[in-house]
Amino acid sequence: KATVSMSRSRQGDLADLTDADLVERARATVRDGMVVDAPALLAVLREVTRRTLGIAPFDVQLQGTLALLNGDVAEMATGEGKTLTGAMATIGYALQGKRVHVITVNGFLAARDDEWMGPMFDFFGLTHGAIQEELTSEQRREVYQRDIVFGAINELGFDVLRDHLATERSEVVRTPADV
């Protein structure tokens, strides 16, 4: 909770920054593949969410983001904003240079969340996409190369199984970093 209130105190000057300055600020919160200044990152994410989606995250969403960035599980009730919380944490991990897979229960939610949160990812220059049932192997391979991959659990799970059964490297759809 202290980190979230510290992020609010850092919010003041961010509204006047350019988009490029905000991206630079966010990247400055990460060193050696780790978030080293969580309050600053949360403040930037709050401002970017306002600019790109027209909404301001609630404190509970920032607390959930912080929990996820710390490697913890965050339980949130219906309506508390899991999609936004997860997207902000996804950005934090992607800024650390990690490829992120966001797992949903079905393809509709994967496509919806990718499209809905896409403007935030685009703001940071992060590539993103959704694995869908109708994608060809080549299309899947291309999506798996992106920074952020959304997918239904069954689609991602079957891609893992198919890759393990492949007899030639050219049949594999996931990237070496995913394998």
Side-chain angles (χ1 to χ4, degrees), residues 1-145:
K1 217 167 186 168
T3 302
V4 171
S5 59
M6 286 173 59
S7 75
R8 199 177 307 112
S9 70
R10 295 182 178 196
Q11 198 68 41
D13 64 331
L14 297 182
D16 297 330
L17 294 179
T18 66
D19 290 355
D21 289 339
L22 274 178
V23 170
E24 187 178 316
R25 280 258 177 120
R27 292 194 186 281
T29 68
V30 175
R31 261 192 304 283
D32 300 323
M34 296 180 61
V35 173
V36 294
D37 190 351
L41 178 60
L42 293 176
V44 169
L45 289 171
R46 184 180 290 212
E47 178 61 24
V48 170
T49 301
R50 187 190 63 71
R51 289 186 190 188
T52 59
L53 303 179
I55 57 177
F58 293 107
D59 285 352
V60 67
Q61 293 165 318
L62 295 171
Q63 290 167 346
T65 299
L66 184 60
L68 294 172
L69 288 172
N70 286 330
D72 295 327
V73 174
E75 181 179 1
M76 298 176 75
T78 300
E80 281 192 310
K82 291 180 283 291
T83 301
L84 180 57
T85 299
M88 290 188 295
T90 295
I91 291 167
Y93 278 110
L95 290 175
Q96 294 174 49
K98 298 174 181 169
R99 179 171 288 128
V100 183
H101 290 93
V102 180
I103 302 172
T104 63
V105 295
N106 61 50
F108 169 79
L109 290 176
R112 181 204 71 176
D113 293 353
D114 176 47
E115 183 178 335
W116 186 15
M117 299 294 117
M120 285 186 1
F121 305 143
D122 295 339
F123 187 93
F124 290 101
L126 300 169
T127 57
H128 57 94
I131 297 292
Q132 296 291 300
E133 183 178 351
E134 65 276 0
L135 295 182
T136 65
S137 293
E138 186 56 40
Q139 291 169 322
R140 285 171 184 269
R141 204 172 286 114
E142 193 274 322
V143 172
Y144 277 117
Q145 292 176 13

